[in-house]
Amino acid sequence: MEPILSNPKVKSAIRQIALRAERNNSKTTVDSFYDCHIIEHLDNINHQVIQGRRGTGKTHILKVLQHHIEAEHIHCFFFDCQATGSAGEIADENIPEKHRAIQLMRDFLMDMCSDFTEYFKDTLYTHPNWVEIDLLLTQLHDECFVCEDTVNEYEDIRNHGEKTSYSSEKTHEVSGFKPSFLWKRLSHKQKEQDTGVSRKTSGTSYKKIVFPNINKCLDRLSLATGVNFVILIDEWSHLPLSVQPHFAEFLHCCLMSSKHITVKIAVVEARANYSIKKDSVVYGLELGADINADIDLDRLYMFDRNSGKISVDLYKMLWKHLKASGVLSDDIDVSVLIETLFGGEQHPAILLARAAEGNPRDFISIVNKCIIEMNGIGEHNGYITSAIVFQAANFWYKSDKYKALSATQKKILSEISTYVIQTRGNRGFVVDENYLYSTQLS
C-alpha cells in the first residue's frame, strides 16, 4: 500500500497534534480522545485521584470527563493549579505554609465563584427560585471575595487621649472588596458604641476564610437550582509539596464534606503530598478514607504488562488524533494506519511503542522525530524503519529527557544502565520507596 507519510497533509496533521490537551478547543479534545475504559471508572459521585506521569493524558481525561459530566446537566468547574498564584505568594518560602495555602484557596474560591455566577446568569431570571438563587450567589460572592485579615494587635485611642492596647485577634475588611450585609450591620453597631474612638492596628496580617459558611451556601445553591457540582483539579503536583496538605485540608472542610459536590484531582504520584500527621491526627486527605487513588495511568500503560495491547492502544490514540483532524479517509482504520506507516513490518512498530514506554505524549513526540529523521537517514521507501525509530528515539531522549536531569540524577542513571541493563541484562529493578521520593534524586 502507498506509504501514508507520502501524503503531506498527514505529516502536517501529525506535526499539529497538540502535546498539551489544554491547547485544543473543546471539540478537538473530545474527538481525539481514545478511551481505555477510564471515563466509566470516573463517572461516579466518589472523590478520586488520577495518578500518572507527565504525558500520560491526565489533563485530556479531565477535559473529556468535564464534557461528559456537563452533558448530564451537572455543572463542572475546572481548576488548573499551574495557572494560579498571587504575585508569587504560593512559592514564597518566607510565608508559613498554612497562610500560603489560604491564599491559594482564596484564589480557588474566587475562580469558582466567578465560574458559578457565569454558569447561572443566563437561566437565573427564568428559574422559579430565581430570587433565592440570586441571593445565594451574592452570598457566595461575599464569602469568597470579602476575605478578612487577621491582625495580632490593635490599639484604641479615645478623644480624651486614653489608650487601651489588646493582644487578641481582630478582623477587618480588606480594602477593595464589597462588605457583606451582616458585616455592615455589625460594623454600624460598633460605630455607635465606639463614637469618638480611632483604631490603630499593628502586627502581622493574615487572610482568613470561613469555610462552613461557603459549604452551607453551596449546599443551599445546589438544592435551590437542582444542580450538583463536580470540581476537577489539574496539575496538583505543580503546587509546593509543603503547601499541598494544607490545601487538601481546606478542600476537605470547604467542599468535600458536601454530598452535592464531587472532587477529582490529577497528580504525579511522586510529586503529591496529601496529608501530614500531627499528634496522631491526620491533617489533609487520607487516601482510601477521604479520597480514592484507584486510577493509576502508569500501571495501565505499563509496557511490559501487556506489550501487544499497549502498542495497539498507542496507535489507536494516534489514529484518533488524525481522524479528528480530518486527513484520514473512512477506509483507513488502525490496522491500515500501522501497515502504511511501517510497510507491513512489525518490528519497527513495536520498537516505537517500546521507546515511548507507554507514555502517549512521548509516543507522539517520537513519531514526529521519525518524520524528521526520514529526511536524512537513507533508503526507506517512505516507511518508518527500525533504524529510523532507533535514531529518532535516541535523539528525542537526549534532547528532551536527559538534558533536564541534574548531575546526581545522571550519575544514578548511568550506574543503573551499566549494572542493571548491561551487566545483569534486565530492564526492570526494584527501588526502595523512601529512597525513590527522597531529596537525593532531586
Side-chain angles (χ1 to χ4, degrees):
M1 296 183 69
E2 185 77 13
I4 197 165
L5 292 179
S6 63
N7 185 341
K9 291 183 178 180
V10 173
K11 293 168 71 173
S12 176
I14 293 175
R15 287 194 296 267
Q16 293 297 324
I17 294 176
L19 296 179
R20 297 199 60 85
E22 60 266 29
R23 299 185 65 85
N24 281 326
N25 59 49
S26 179
K27 186 179 185 305
T28 303
T29 299
V30 174
D31 292 345
S32 64
F33 181 68
Y34 171 68
D35 188 7
C36 301
H37 305 288
I38 296 173
I39 298 298
E40 64 187 61
H41 293 294
L42 292 169
D43 187 15
N44 55 63
I45 60 172
N46 298 315
H47 305 306
Q48 289 176 288
V49 168
I50 307 167
Q51 298 181 150
R53 293 167 291 163
R54 297 193 181 280
T56 49
K58 299 183 296 297
T59 301
H60 203 163
I61 290 170
L62 287 184
K63 291 287 187 181
V64 174
L65 179 64
Q66 180 181 13
H67 180 270
H68 179 77
I69 289 170
E70 290 179 343
E72 299 177 355
H73 304 291
I74 300 172
H75 183 54
C76 199
F77 170 55
F78 191 98
F79 184 75
D80 185 356
C81 294
Q82 198 170 10
T84 191
S86 299
E89 286 187 8
I90 306 302
D92 190 348
E93 295 184 358
N94 295 318
I95 302 175
E97 288 89 353
K98 182 177 180 179
H99 299 294
R100 289 153 65 193
I102 290 175
Q103 179 60 54
L104 171 64
M105 190 66 186
R106 180 170 172 267
D107 293 342
F108 171 87
L109 290 173
M110 290 167 66
D111 281 355
M112 184 188 72
C113 179
S114 299
D115 178 84
F116 284 9
T117 303
E118 184 71 20
Y119 175 73
F120 287 114
K121 75 173 185 179
D122 293 333
T123 59
L124 176 61
Y125 297 111
T126 60
H127 198 284
N129 297 331
W130 74 269
V131 175
E132 182 184 2
I133 296 171
D134 190 32
L135 191 63
L136 288 170
L137 287 172
T138 301
Q139 183 182 343
L140 181 64
H141 176 278
D142 289 345
E143 293 294 346
C144 294
F145 280 78
V146 183
C147 186
E148 296 177 332
D149 274 358
T150 301
V151 295
N152 295 330
E153 298 176 357
Y154 63 87
E155 181 179 77
D156 285 353
I157 306 176
R158 300 185 183 275
N159 286 339
H160 50 74
E162 181 183 350
K163 295 183 181 180
T164 306
S165 297
Y166 302 85
S167 296
S168 59
E169 290 189 342
K170 180 68 180 176
T171 60
H172 65 86
E173 182 199 358
V174 176
S175 61
F177 292 109
K178 177 184 175 182
S180 65
F181 177 72
L182 179 60
W183 190 92
K184 286 181 178 178
R185 290 285 301 275
L186 294 176
S187 176
H188 180 66
K189 290 181 179 179
Q190 184 69 34
K191 287 179 181 178
E192 290 178 346
Q193 296 169 4
D194 293 340
T195 303
V197 179
S198 62
R199 176 157 294 176
K200 178 183 178 182
T201 60
S202 62
T204 306
S205 173
Y206 294 116
K207 291 179 175 63
K208 175 182 173 183
I209 307 170
V210 184
F211 294 138
N213 293 355
I214 298 173
N215 186 283
K216 291 175 184 176
C217 184
L218 289 171
D219 273 346
R220 291 174 59 194
L221 184 62
S222 177
L223 291 172
T225 59
V227 176
N228 287 337
F229 306 114
V230 175
I231 312 296
L232 303 179
I233 302 177
D234 194 21
E235 298 292 349
W236 173 277
S237 303
H238 182 75
L239 303 174
L241 282 169
S242 59
V243 173
Q244 291 180 24
H246 299 281
F247 186 48
E249 175 69 13
F250 297 159
L251 289 173
H252 186 234
C253 296
C254 188
L255 303 176
M256 298 174 69
S257 57
S258 171
K259 65 180 180 180
H260 302 289
I261 299 174
T262 302
V263 177
K264 314 281 186 182
I265 305 173
V267 305
V268 177
E269 185 181 7
R271 288 284 305 161
N273 184 19
Y274 309 103
S275 62
I276 51 178
K277 208 169 191 179
K278 291 183 178 180
D279 300 326
S280 301
V281 177
V282 176
Y283 183 80
L285 292 173
E286 267 191 281
L287 293 181
D290 300 318
I291 192 167
N292 295 323
D294 50 358
I295 307 295
D296 189 344
L297 299 180
D298 289 337
R299 179 174 173 79
L300 180 66
Y301 296 143
M302 188 182 296
F303 189 83
D304 287 333
R305 285 187 66 205
N306 190 339
S307 59
K309 182 182 183 305
I310 300 304
S311 297
V312 172
D313 285 345
L314 289 173
Y315 286 107
K316 282 182 177 179
M317 292 177 189
L318 176 62
W319 177 80
K320 286 285 286 185
H321 278 87
L322 293 176
K323 197 72 176 175
S325 68
V327 298
L328 296 184
S329 58
D330 294 336
D331 60 332
I332 298 181
D333 58 14
V334 178
S335 59
V336 174
L337 175 65
I338 296 174
E339 184 178 352
T340 53
L341 277 173
F342 302 99
E345 295 291 329
Q346 292 294 317
H347 183 262
I350 296 174
L351 187 65
L352 197 157
R354 177 179 288 279
E357 285 292 342
N359 189 300
R361 185 189 295 164
D362 292 349
F363 176 77
I364 292 173
S365 296
I366 297 174
V367 172
N368 266 308
K369 293 292 191 297
C370 285
I371 295 174
I372 296 173
E373 288 295 321
M374 288 177 71
N375 295 326
I377 199 169
E379 191 63 36
H380 48 69
N381 296 324
Y383 297 110
I384 298 176
T385 64
S386 296
I388 290 173
V389 173
F390 180 82
Q391 292 290 341
N394 188 50
F395 173 72
W396 162 81
Y397 169 73
K398 288 181 178 179
S399 62
D400 291 6
K401 296 287 184 180
Y402 190 74
K403 281 186 178 180
L405 300 178
S406 66
T408 303
Q409 290 171 331
K410 289 178 180 178
K411 181 175 181 296
I412 294 173
L413 184 62
S414 176
E415 292 174 356
I416 290 173
S417 61
T418 300
Y419 178 72
V420 178
I421 300 175
Q422 296 180 16
T423 305
R424 301 298 297 271
N426 290 326
R427 293 180 68 250
F429 53 93
V430 178
V431 177
D432 183 84
E433 185 176 9
N434 294 326
Y435 178 72
L436 180 63
Y437 296 152
S438 72
T439 55
Q440 298 179 57
L441 295 180
S442 61

